[in-house]
Amino acid sequence: MVKIRYSRSDGFTEELDVAVGESVRDAAIEAGVTGIEGECGGQMNCATCHVYVDRTWLGKTPEIDEIEDAMLDGTACPREDNSRLSCQLRVQPDWEGFTVHLPESQY
Amino acid sequence: MRDDARLLVAGASYAGIHMAAAAREKGWTGLITVVGEEPWAPYERPPLSKTFLAKGEAPEDIALRGEVFYRRHGIDLVLGTRITDVDHAARVARLDNGSTLAYATLGLATGGTPRRLTVPGGDLGGVHYLATLDDALALRDALDGARDVVIVGAGFIGLELAATLTGLGRSVHVLEAGERVMGRVLTPTLSAVLAAVHESHGVRISTGTGCVAMEGSGGRVTGVRTTTGETLRADVVLVGIGSVPRTELARQAGAALAGPGGGVLVDATMRTSVPGVLAAGDCAAFVSSYAPTDVPLRLESVQNATDQGRVAGATAAGAEAIYNAVPWFWSDQYDLKLQLVGIHDPASREVARGTPDGEPFSLVHLDLENRVVAVDSVNSPADHVAARRLVAAREHLDPSLAQDAATPLKAAVATSPPAHRL
Ligand SMILES: Cc1cc2nc3c(=O)[nH]c(=O)nc-3n(C[C@H](O)[C@H](O)[C@H](O)COP(=O)(O)OP(=O)(O)OC[C@H]3O[C@@H](n4cnc5c(N)ncnc54)[C@H](O)[C@@H]3O)c2cc1C
């Protein structure tokens, strides 16, 4: 298990123990973290699981593929250089303390 | 609002759960009870025809929300239980376990039920429909040891199943009474593209062909007799010929329907014709500002059920909300990602971006004034995402720009606001 932090736009932060390989989106849905949706179930069809990766972690995330890149242009809150779809962030063993900032809205 | 006032939601799927959660988030302080007929905790339906079968996923893998979510929102889930009657004058609902629940506001999120094929032999063992997790589990069992599958109906569910089952090594034959596949939602151009892809994977498709009877032995289906006089061997038959809205409760409450067999009529706040009764999702019929006419229509998509549910919840809580989200839909078949935005207008013309046999490919539908009314994309999420904004803003688009695949559609969006929904 790896500790993942979800920092909401209202300043509230939740910490979850997430299994390696599980997506940051799925873990949030399971634990009832509000602020991440993922209407399509994690298939890169909806762009409602948008997160901003904490800048200290930027070099440690997998590359954005073409589909994710395209879908990130469809997020409700503005896309930044640290924007990701959390369904594509599969937790890695060395992600202890990995932090994502949740956008104000997914709609 | 009295604190023991109850928002009672019928149906524990996308529309019902989002209605309940939004009501709480928007300030409903009373009880919230969601009654769902299915025994499972709310789950994602789209995987049932796709990864749930293809990858053998478990029910837990497709949970819509974790248990904590309901606790945090103060939502009581009553599962495996059906609301059988409502007495709206008394504001009391009766459940099939014999108990009753009093309510202040009733939210209908009852979805639809598959349209039945009423032919001789239609109820033989081995004839399946796919709408629920239990249906998918039953289908999975039936596929064990089955080789020949006949699918009746080339709509989304039929074609997704054709793709999934072909991938699982089954031999698939699709019958479609209409003259082309997915004729209800796609124009002939994309119907042809999809049919060709399916055929290249070995699926046989017979259009203009219906099913007149199922043949069987020992109570199990063995074949399908077609309108062209053939009998096709079948170990399993899957029927996907559309769905009908479930409106029993709406009728009991006195809510107006959009004609016989139509959905529950709602306005943009998701109010029905009866005060204190709301409806959302597959069961609801509404006038869409994205449609070419103001004839009430039903949309069957996760987007529509989710967004309408959220509006209904806000309305229940006394917040201002209007449903004007851009309709969009997806379907995954083989390695094709089909993404649709907007509602087709028969009077619009289509402009192709890219060539149908290459990818990415999109059809941009422009009305007489060159406003973008719909975009159908195949493996082109970039077009899809840009199109959501173009359709939301009814942006004008020069047809020559629309067809220029080298210029991203998003270049035309620069000035359009994002497609905010609520
Ligand atoms: C196999 C399949 C694949 C799909 N794939 C896609 C896809 O790829 N993309 C997409 O956008 N959409 C897809 N859809 C459509 C999408 O799932 C529906 O539009 C969506 O589920 C509608 O949500 P809803 O909440 O309105 O109704 P439903 O999901 O139909 O839920 C209604 C619920 O209400 C319950 N209920 C009804 N009456 C009562 C009662 N009296 N008391 C208690 N409970 C009651 C029912 O048991 C049911 O659980 C698919 C659907 C199916 C079946």
Side-chain angles (χ1 to χ4, degrees):
Chain A
M1 289 287 183
V2 175
K3 281 213 185 331
I4 304 294
R5 290 202 187 95
Y6 299 79
S7 159
R8 281 204 324 230
S9 59
D10 60 8
F12 183 75
T13 296
E14 275 190 79
E15 203 170 77
L16 301 180
D17 289 318
V18 182
V20 170
E22 179 159 25
S23 78
V24 169
R25 179 258 170 196
D26 286 355
I29 292 289
E30 251 168 65
V33 173
T34 49
I36 290 186
E37 299 286 335
E39 280 174 28
C40 72
Q43 305 294 316
M44 291 197 285
N45 277 308
C46 68
T48 59
C49 66
H50 178 207
V51 297
Y52 301 107
V53 172
D54 190 85
R55 295 191 179 277
T56 55
W57 287 91
L58 269 185
K60 306 199 172 67
T61 49
E63 294 265 300
I64 299 180
D65 75 10
E66 217 178 306
I67 301 178
E68 183 183 353
D69 185 36
M71 292 308 295
L72 276 168
D73 280 337
T75 56
C77 285
R79 176 180 186 172
E80 308 283 350
D81 59 350
N82 57 341
S83 285
R84 294 298 302 254
L85 296 182
S86 55
C87 66
Q88 299 307 304
L89 296 173
R90 298 210 168 268
V91 170
Q92 298 176 15
D94 59 348
W95 276 17
E96 185 69 23
F98 184 82
T99 303
V100 293
H101 301 276
L102 308 187
E104 223 165 276
S105 172
Q106 299 286 2
Y107 294 103
Chain B
M1 196 186 300
R2 292 192 346 268
D3 257 7
D4 61 348
R6 174 184 279 116
L7 167 62
L8 176 62
V9 179
S13 182
Y14 291 94
I17 295 310
H18 284 282
M19 190 187 308
R24 187 63 84 205
E25 285 163 12
K26 297 286 179 184
W28 180 277
T29 53
L31 301 170
I32 300 180
T33 306
V34 182
V35 180
E37 182 178 30
E38 298 184 58
W40 304 95
Y43 59 88
E44 289 167 349
R45 229 171 269 284
L48 297 182
S49 49
K50 313 177 183 83
T51 52
F52 186 77
L53 290 176
K55 296 192 192 154
E57 285 173 327
E60 309 84 81
D61 296 335
I62 57 169
L64 187 61
R65 289 290 180 270
E67 198 215 319
V68 190
F69 179 86
Y70 304 106
R71 218 174 325 124
R72 282 191 178 172
H73 281 80
I75 296 171
D76 294 318
L77 285 181
V78 181
L79 301 173
T81 307
R82 187 165 57 92
I83 301 183
T84 54
D85 307 276
V86 293
D87 176 352
H88 190 61
R91 303 224 173 184
V92 172
R94 198 183 345 265
L95 314 185
D96 64 357
N97 61 13
S99 65
T100 56
L101 283 176
Y103 63 84
T105 301
L106 177 64
L108 301 172
T110 48
T113 189
R115 178 169 289 123
R116 297 273 145 184
L117 186 62
T118 49
V119 295
D123 47 11
L124 282 166
V127 178
H128 290 256
Y129 292 80
L130 179 58
T132 66
L133 184 44
D134 281 331
D135 291 343
L137 291 169
L139 175 59
R140 213 191 249 176
D141 278 350
L143 285 169
D144 207 20
R147 193 190 66 192
D148 294 309
V149 179
V150 172
I151 296 177
V152 182
F156 274 105
I157 292 183
L159 290 192
E160 286 178 359
L161 281 170
T164 300
L165 300 188
T166 303
L168 290 172
R170 303 306 189 281
S171 152
V172 177
H173 196 137
V174 179
L175 300 182
E176 167 56 49
E179 64 185 23
R180 55 195 174 85
V181 305
M182 295 215 301
R184 214 161 48 97
V185 271
L186 298 181
T187 58
T189 318
L190 261 195
S191 289
V193 172
L194 274 175
V197 169
H198 278 275
E199 279 163 354
S200 76
H201 281 85
V203 173
R204 277 161 299 164
I205 300 178
S206 303
T207 52
T209 308
C211 160
V212 289
M214 313 273 183
E215 294 177 354
S217 84
R220 294 208 50 91
V221 74
T222 55
V224 173
R225 194 134 34 90
T226 71
T227 47
T228 51
E230 268 182 290
T231 298
L232 308 173
R233 231 195 76 80
D235 302 312
V236 168
V237 177
L238 272 158
V239 183
I241 54 172
S243 81
V244 279
R246 293 182 66 170
T247 54
E248 313 90 91
L249 302 180
R251 270 192 308 237
Q252 291 166 5
L257 305 183
V264 189
L265 271 181
V266 291
D267 64 15
T269 66
M270 300 296 123
R271 288 183 175 91
T272 67
S273 63
V274 175
V277 183
L278 307 168
D282 278 18
C283 71
F286 68 106
V287 175
S288 171
S289 58
Y290 296 96
T293 71
D294 53 11
V295 176
L297 51 84
R298 289 194 311 120
L299 295 176
E300 293 168 22
S301 71
V302 167
Q303 171 277 320
N304 183 66
T306 300
D307 289 340
Q308 286 195 339
R310 289 161 51 82
V311 170
T315 298
E320 297 273 324
I322 291 287
Y323 182 62
N324 61 2
V326 187
W328 60 266
F329 183 82
W330 81 91
S331 174
D332 298 323
Q333 299 170 26
Y334 310 103
D335 52 359
L336 292 189
K337 197 179 190 64
L338 194 64
Q339 295 173 302
L340 312 177
V341 194
I343 297 173
H344 286 182
D345 174 351
S348 67
R349 61 174 170 141
E350 62 183 30
V351 179
R353 284 172 69 75
T355 49
D357 49 357
E359 295 160 17
F361 174 69
S362 295
L363 288 174
V364 180
H365 301 267
L366 299 172
D367 71 7
L368 297 174
E369 282 139 60
N370 284 339
R371 282 180 305 221
V372 184
V373 294
V375 176
D376 314 329
S377 306
V378 181
N379 291 348
S380 186
D383 281 356
H384 172 71
V385 154
R388 287 193 196 171
R389 294 183 185 188
L390 291 172
V391 174
R394 281 94 167 158
E395 198 73 58
H396 288 85
L397 187 61
D398 192 309
S400 63
L401 201 62
Q403 94 187 8
D404 174 12
T407 305
L409 267 192
K410 83 173 169 190
V413 191
T415 52
S416 305
H420 277 301
R421 304 190 213 175
L422 207 120

